[in-house]
Amino acid sequence: QKEVEQDPGPLSVPEGAIVSLNCTYSNSAFQYFMWYRQYSRKGPELLMYTYSSGNKEDGRFTAQVDKSSKYISLFIRDSQPSDSATYLCAMSAPGGGATNKLIFGTGTLLAVQP
Amino acid sequence: DVKVTQSSRYLVKRTGEKVFLECVQDMDHENMFWYRQDPGLGLRLIYFSYDVKMKEKGDIPEGYSVSREKKERFSLILESASTNQTSMYLCASSFTEGAYEQYFGPGTRLTVT
């Protein structure tokens, strides 16, 4: 079983739709939860991060963490064609050295149709 | 803006060749990372470095080595390239404090024939 599971999609939605992207994980030591966005032929860029449980909102984006269910979500409101990209979840456990590394999901490819 | 640059966007090498991939960051980050990205497998950590001349193996270090002689530069070396090393290679860097925020380069698409 992978430490982080993510549906690869592709997910195709019409412009203006609400998008829900999800990841599950198995390691209860994870405390940092990140969403990275990767446009075609580019490197990933950090979109949002959350420490421990709860919600975080940034404009049209909301990140949710449910540690009891080991489940994280990214919601995109009023989706735009410019949101079309691969979305990668990533997680990390606190600590030094090797435990600072990020564990990535495989990514979900999102296409927002105009 | 943080900038992470990689020496090549596309590279084609032959089996058995020694391959060098270079990465440079301009933000004085302590940590630097090398990943490979493959369809269905996501990003997998090859090696990382938390200081000059320091390195640690990631999840898939076999067939690779690294070098960090200066803080801003981290090199990935394929000693004898093989076809199963055909992949997208991504370099990243971060501060130790807030290591979750990694800044990625644009990637090098390596094809080994």
Side-chain angles (χ1 to χ4, degrees):
Chain A
Q1 183 192 5
K2 290 183 182 177
E3 277 191 288
V4 178
E5 299 273 3
Q6 184 175 11
D7 187 333
L11 183 60
S12 182
V13 300
E15 184 175 352
I18 297 174
V19 176
S20 172
L21 303 166
N22 311 294
C23 289
T24 59
Y25 63 96
S26 57
N27 188 346
S28 58
F30 288 147
Q31 294 278 8
Y32 294 97
F33 302 92
M34 282 68 69
W35 286 97
Y36 280 78
R37 178 175 61 195
Q38 185 176 21
Y39 290 115
S40 180
R41 292 185 292 278
K42 295 278 181 71
E45 57 179 343
L46 182 66
L47 192 59
M48 295 187 73
Y49 84 93
T50 310
Y51 175 70
S52 194
S53 282
N55 293 2
K56 188 170 186 177
E57 190 172 319
D58 184 2
R60 296 184 294 110
F61 299 89
T62 300
Q64 285 187 354
V65 175
D66 181 350
K67 291 191 73 182
S68 61
S69 302
K70 296 191 178 69
Y71 188 88
I72 70 169
S73 301
L74 177 71
F75 297 96
I76 307 174
R77 290 184 299 282
D78 188 24
S79 56
Q80 302 295 310
S82 58
D83 295 327
S84 298
T86 297
Y87 290 81
L88 301 142
C89 63
M91 307 176 189
S92 180
T99 57
N100 266 341
K101 65 180 185 179
L102 300 184
I103 308 298
F104 284 86
T106 52
T108 299
L109 178 61
L110 171 66
V112 181
Q113 307 298 333
Chain B
D1 269 357
V2 176
K3 197 156 188 182
V4 179
T5 56
Q6 295 184 229
S7 49
S8 306
R9 292 301 304 271
Y10 300 95
L11 211 52
V12 179
K13 295 291 182 181
R14 294 196 181 274
T15 302
E17 279 193 81
K18 191 168 186 176
V19 181
F20 292 87
L21 302 181
E22 301 263 309
C23 175
V24 178
Q25 51 95 3
D26 66 358
M27 274 300 288
D28 204 34
H29 284 163
E30 296 93 359
N31 300 336
M32 296 189 75
F33 308 82
W34 275 107
Y35 295 90
R36 61 178 285 177
Q37 186 174 30
D38 300 288
L41 297 176
L43 271 79
R44 292 180 292 166
L45 183 64
I46 304 171
Y47 266 98
F48 68 103
S49 168
Y50 51 90
D51 201 351
V52 175
K53 296 191 186 295
M54 305 303 287
K55 60 186 179 185
E56 282 200 32
K57 293 179 180 179
D59 299 316
I60 51 165
E62 296 78 20
Y64 303 94
S65 61
V66 290
S67 172
R68 193 167 180 200
E69 296 295 319
K70 293 185 177 181
K71 191 174 186 179
E72 68 270 19
R73 189 179 297 269
F74 193 34
S75 301
L76 180 69
I77 303 151
L78 287 66
E79 294 289 342
S80 177
S82 63
T83 54
N84 63 12
Q85 292 179 310
T86 292
S87 185
M88 170 69 82
Y89 289 88
L90 289 159
C91 174
S93 69
S94 75
F95 287 116
T96 297
E97 192 66 36
Y100 56 84
E101 187 166 9
Q102 294 187 12
Y103 293 85
F104 283 83
T108 296
R109 170 72 64 185
L110 173 67
T111 302
V112 183
T113 61

